Amino acid sequence: MVISSSNSYSRSNPELVKISSSNKINLKNFIQNGQIQIYQSSYRGSYSSIIRDCLRNAALGRKVLLVQFMKGGVKQGISNAVKLCGNLTWVRSSHAFDQYHSEEIENDENLKKTIHESTYELWNFCKKQLLSGENDQIILDEIFLAIEMKIIDKDDLISTLKNRFIAGDVILTGTDIPKELSLMANQITELRS
C-alpha cells in the first residue's frame, strides 16, 4: 500500500492538478450558507427570544448583527451602533421614532418620510452585510413590518437572501410573513401569547 501526500501527488501528476484560468470556479457557490429562520407572532413580541440568542452566540465568540428596523428613539444609527459582548453589533434607526401602528405613521407625512428614509438606510446596510460574509449571524427584526409598510421591497429581500454569503443563520421576525419567504425558510417558529 502506498500513501501519498497531496504535495507529492501534485508533483508527480501536474497535469491533473493544473487549473487554467478558464476553469477557475467561484468558491462562494460552494460555501454552505446558514439557515433562514423566521420568528412569527401575532403580536410584536419576538425581541426577547432573539436578543437571548444574539447574546448567547456573541458570548460563544460568533460575530452577530442585530438590526431592529421599526424601533427608534435612541438615535443609534449605523454610525452609533451598540457593541455588546465584544461580538454583538446592535443597530436601530438614526432617527427618533417608536411607532407601533402603521396607521399612525400613515397620518403623519413627516414621520412617515423619516421612518422610510431611516429604515431604507438600515436595509442598504443589511444588504451589504448579508453579501459580505463578515457576520456569523444576522437578525433582521421586524423586517416583515417594513415590507408590509412598503418601505422594503419583498423581492429585493428575497434576492438578497438567495445571494447571501454568511456561514451562520439569518433570522427574520415579524407578524405577517409573505408566502414566498415562508417557503424559503428552513425553520419557522411561531410565538404565542
Side-chain angles (χ1 to χ4, degrees), residues 167-178:
D169 298 338
V170 177
I171 298 174
L172 312 170
T173 75
T175 54
D176 294 319
I177 307 170

Side-chain angles (χ1 to χ4, degrees), residues 4 48 50-51 60 74 76 103 150 165 180:
S4 174
S48 59
I50 61 166
I51 194 68
L60 291 171
V74 292
Q76 281 178 349
E103 58 272 1
K150 300 189 182 346
F165 186 50
E180 298 89 343

Side-chain angles (χ1 to χ4, degrees), residues 123-142:
W123 172 235
N124 282 327
F125 170 73
C126 289
K127 281 174 37 173
K128 290 175 187 168
Q129 295 301 309
L130 284 162
L131 299 173
S132 75
E134 293 177 13
N135 293 285
D136 298 310
Q137 182 181 50
I138 297 177
I139 297 91
L140 306 177
D141 187 36
E142 296 195 0

Side-chain angles (χ1 to χ4, degrees), residues 99-174:
Q99 299 292 320
Y100 290 94
H101 303 288
S102 57
E103 58 272 1
E104 291 177 24
I105 296 167
E106 287 296 322
N107 294 330
D108 186 337
E109 286 301 317
N110 288 332
L111 179 60
K112 181 178 176 179
K113 182 180 179 195
T114 299
I115 291 171
H116 280 247
E117 288 173 356
S118 62
T119 304
Y120 198 72
E121 176 186 35
L122 287 175
W123 172 235
N124 282 327
F125 170 73
C126 289
K127 281 174 37 173
K128 290 175 187 168
Q129 295 301 309
L130 284 162
L131 299 173
S132 75
E134 293 177 13
N135 293 285
D136 298 310
Q137 182 181 50
I138 297 177
I139 297 91
L140 306 177
D141 187 36
E142 296 195 0
I143 188 128
F144 299 133
L145 181 56
I147 290 172
E148 183 184 324
M149 294 175 64
K150 300 189 182 346
I151 301 171
I152 296 172
D153 181 61
K154 173 185 64 176
D155 294 332
D156 191 18
L157 173 60
I158 290 169
S159 173
T160 304
L161 290 173
K162 284 181 179 177
N163 293 302
R164 73 191 184 282
F165 186 50
I166 174 174
D169 298 338
V170 177
I171 298 174
L172 312 170
T173 75

